[in-house]
Amino acid sequence: INNELYIMTVATENYSNNLLNSLTTIKISNPGTIVYVYCINWSDDNFNEFKKKFPEYKFIKYKDNYIKEKLKNNIKSGYVIKLKVKLIYQSFIKNKKNLLFFDADTKIMNKIHPLLEKYKNNDIFITYRPKEKERSLFNSAVMGFTYNKKTQYFLKQYDYNTFNNITNKEDYHPRTIDGWWHDQIGFLKTYKQFKNIKYYFFTETEHNLSGKHNRKQKKLDNAIFQSY
């Protein structure tokens, strides 16, 4: 799987507890799988502690001055969401490999292998929820990208649409700054621009959205990814 997929996640230090849970689950469910973890403005102590706890994973330090100034008192910033898409795009171009991304608070409960075959016939993977508001039609907690020219163009535009998105004030989360939903609104805009791409929408047993994401949906133990 390591030869076929570049598996990555992104976390600020105030998300390190969520990340700990997430990495623990993938270590159990997918032993031997390498995960590339982008650690945004982490302290050296925390960074080294995670490296010691998960020696099989690749931890990458990423410094961002804007977040250093703004991200205080555990406030969440919508800018981090924009940075997430930028890092996905940069990693995709740099590594020239199929990519799988999961949010730092998403658990990986079962084997990822069943998804590998689907990369052969599809370009982009995401969860689609047609009954939700526009900002939530696509859930970007888990995304996959097959390495080809079409997907490169898509990701370049996705990065642009996300970075330049401005959220309505009524859509802000409590205790957040810099707006929210940028990655999901950015994906919707890009999706409308790229109709000739083969999209694969995760099933409920591939990406299970429950809890705050969907109060009516129960946790599924047989799901690969679990966002709660």
Side-chain angles (χ1 to χ4, degrees):
I1 195 168
N2 296 323
N3 292 328
E4 296 183 50
L5 267 186
Y6 186 87
I7 302 172
M8 65 174 287
T9 189
V10 175
T12 49
E13 193 157 32
N14 63 353
Y15 250 59
S16 56
N17 284 337
N18 291 320
L19 178 68
L20 177 64
N21 292 331
S22 183
L23 294 182
T24 301
T25 60
I26 194 170
K27 184 174 182 177
I28 295 167
S29 62
N30 291 265
T33 300
I34 296 173
V35 181
Y36 294 82
V37 185
Y38 290 80
C39 305
I40 302 170
N41 291 9
W42 280 34
S43 65
D44 288 340
D45 287 348
N46 205 29
F47 185 81
N48 291 330
E49 188 180 330
F50 266 76
K51 281 181 71 175
K52 192 183 293 183
K53 202 166 285 183
F54 302 100
E56 63 272 60
Y57 298 153
K58 308 293 184 186
F59 292 89
I60 302 153
K61 278 188 176 182
Y62 190 92
K63 296 290 184 186
D64 188 281
N65 290 330
Y66 178 82
I67 292 174
K68 186 179 179 182
E69 293 298 316
K70 293 280 188 178
L71 220 58
K72 292 169 183 172
N73 303 320
N74 226 27
I75 288 175
K76 296 179 182 179
S77 166
Y79 176 79
V80 179
I81 298 174
K82 295 184 176 188
L83 196 54
K84 152 185 156 177
V85 177
K86 184 168 289 300
L87 286 170
I88 290 171
Y89 175 51
Q90 289 177 352
S91 300
F92 190 72
I93 296 300
K94 180 182 177 182
N95 293 288
K96 298 179 171 58
K97 189 187 281 191
N98 295 345
L99 187 147
L100 178 66
F101 170 88
F102 62 89
D103 272 348
D105 56 355
T106 292
K107 294 180 179 179
I108 301 87
M109 306 304 294
N110 289 287
K111 297 248 177 247
I112 292 169
H113 282 86
L115 295 177
L116 289 180
E117 193 68 24
K118 294 179 168 62
Y119 274 82
K120 294 176 182 176
N121 300 310
N122 298 282
D123 298 313
I124 292 174
F125 300 75
I126 197 165
T127 300
Y128 177 58
R129 301 187 292 171
K131 294 180 181 178
E132 294 290 329
K133 294 178 180 178
E134 276 211 341
R135 70 187 189 196
S136 304
L137 279 173
F138 292 102
N139 182 282
S140 58
V142 182
M143 294 187 287
F145 302 92
T146 302
Y147 188 78
N148 59 44
K149 282 289 182 189
K150 285 190 295 183
T151 312
Q152 286 179 53
Y153 292 137
F154 178 97
L155 265 172
K156 184 178 182 180
Q157 190 62 36
Y158 180 27
D159 177 36
Y160 176 85
N161 286 339
T162 300
F163 193 80
N164 289 287
N165 184 64
I166 299 170
T167 313
N168 296 328
K169 283 287 184 185
E170 60 267 25
D171 288 335
Y172 272 40
H173 266 248
R175 287 182 58 75
T176 61
I177 56 173
D178 305 317
W180 207 249
W181 314 104
H182 304 300
D183 51 345
Q184 298 186 173
I185 295 169
F187 191 97
L188 176 61
K189 288 176 181 175
T190 318
Y191 172 76
K192 289 176 177 177
Q193 293 171 298
F194 286 79
K195 292 296 186 181
N196 62 332
I197 273 182
K198 289 182 180 177
Y199 296 93
Y200 180 85
F201 300 142
F202 290 123
T203 64
E204 192 62 51
T205 52
E206 288 167 343
H207 183 201
N208 174 220
L209 287 156
S210 55
K212 65 184 179 184
H213 297 286
N214 185 353
R215 300 293 177 191
K216 295 177 182 178
Q217 176 63 56
K218 293 180 180 178
K219 279 187 181 179
L220 300 177
D221 293 334
N222 63 333
I224 300 172
F225 297 100
Q226 200 174 74
S227 298
Y228 183 76

